[in-house]
Amino acid sequence: MPSSAPPVFRFAPSPNGALHLGHAYSALVNQQICAAIDGTCLLRLEDIDQTRCTPELAQQMLDDLTWLGIDWHGEPRRQSEHFADYRRALQKLRADGLIYPAFMSRGDIRRMLAQEVDASPDENWPRDPDGSPHYPGDERNWSLDQQQAMLSKNQKHSWRLNMAAALQLVPDQLYWREFEESDPAQSRNIPAKPELWGDVVLARSDTPTSYHLAVTVDDALQEVTHVVRGRDLYHATSVHRLLQVLLDLPAPRYHHHDLVIGPDGRKLSKSNGDVSLRALRRNGVDPANIAQHFTFAA
Ligand code: GLU
């Protein structure tokens, strides 16, 4: 991305529950940095999970953001309306031989890992930064004919990135650029470590994309130059950087901000009604004073 490109930010919540103080903080940091460098802020609804993301929750989310005084440019992009874009990206990866259909269910994976642990109790099975085990199946080594034979049986599956094959195609060390809120014009290289994730899921038989694929494709299609999001997504950026290279997409800069926690010191969740923006609104909190409610993780 040429540095002369006009700054474009995006706030990208998932309407699968009520927005809480953590979302408010993220939206406000986006808005503040964006205003400071004369950028444009977009809104994206990450609603690929069509069972949990409902139109009612999406509307409530828009109402909460309006109450908070968050403005965005143009119509929000709803990921559920753009599945063709993600399919296209997936097809490119498939044509390049970088993804494979994986047929083991979560239960199959659990059982297989239990056997592995019984067989070699001293060896830790590798886990990704979110704590999920790396995929233990061997479909990545199957021939295209074998894959096709299973696919034609209409078995449920996910499409996984063949991480080892992908790493062959990129420079030995990939970096992303990280900037700080106080000085968005400066940024530094952070080494990306996509290998920590193993063969990540990029799509499922019933949903043509995963979070990682959709976020990477959309940041490029929306010409986002500055991604501002919580530190909980810091490690995910390694996967996004890898996908940008594999898909020939430009790389935005990133700022991973501190995480807001609850008054009880625990992580905020969408099921915790007390910290929802809707509850604060009902309790008469003035949105101009919302910052008084932020508590940060140490
Ligand atoms: N949709 C994600 C979430 O609500 C955020 C994605 C992103 O900012 O990259 O956690």
Side-chain angles (χ1 to χ4, degrees), residues 235-252:
H235 290 294
T237 306
S238 289
V239 178
H240 305 166
R241 185 69 200 102
L242 174 64
L243 290 175
Q244 284 154 7
V245 178
L246 298 175
L247 293 167
D248 262 332
L249 301 175

Side-chain angles (χ1 to χ4, degrees), residues 26 57 64 73 80 93 109 116-117 238 269:
S26 200
L57 285 170
D64 285 344
H73 179 80
S80 58
L93 295 173
I109 294 176
E116 287 287 333
V117 171
S238 289
S269 84

Side-chain angles (χ1 to χ4, degrees), residues 10-16 19 23 26 30 44-47 61 79 211 215-216 219 227-230 232-233 236 240 254 256 270:
R10 85 320 188 255
F11 176 54
S14 301
N16 55 11
L19 287 190
H23 297 104
S26 200
N30 260 292
R44 183 161 78 223
L45 299 186
E46 301 212 320
D47 59 350
M61 186 166 274
Q79 290 188 323
Y211 159 66
V215 82
T216 307
D219 283 339
V227 172
V228 174
R229 59 186 179 194
D232 51 338
L233 292 168
H240 305 166
Y254 294 84
H256 294 94
K270 283 185 171 147

Side-chain angles (χ1 to χ4, degrees), residues 21-22 24-25 67 260-263 268 274-277 280-281 283-296:
L21 281 169
Y25 180 67
W67 169 76
V260 173
I261 51 172
L268 298 181
D274 296 351
V275 289
S276 73
L277 299 189
L280 296 171
R281 199 158 122 193
N283 292 338
V285 167
D286 178 351
N289 296 331
I290 193 94
Q292 292 172 0
H293 298 264
F294 295 146
T295 311
F296 294 97

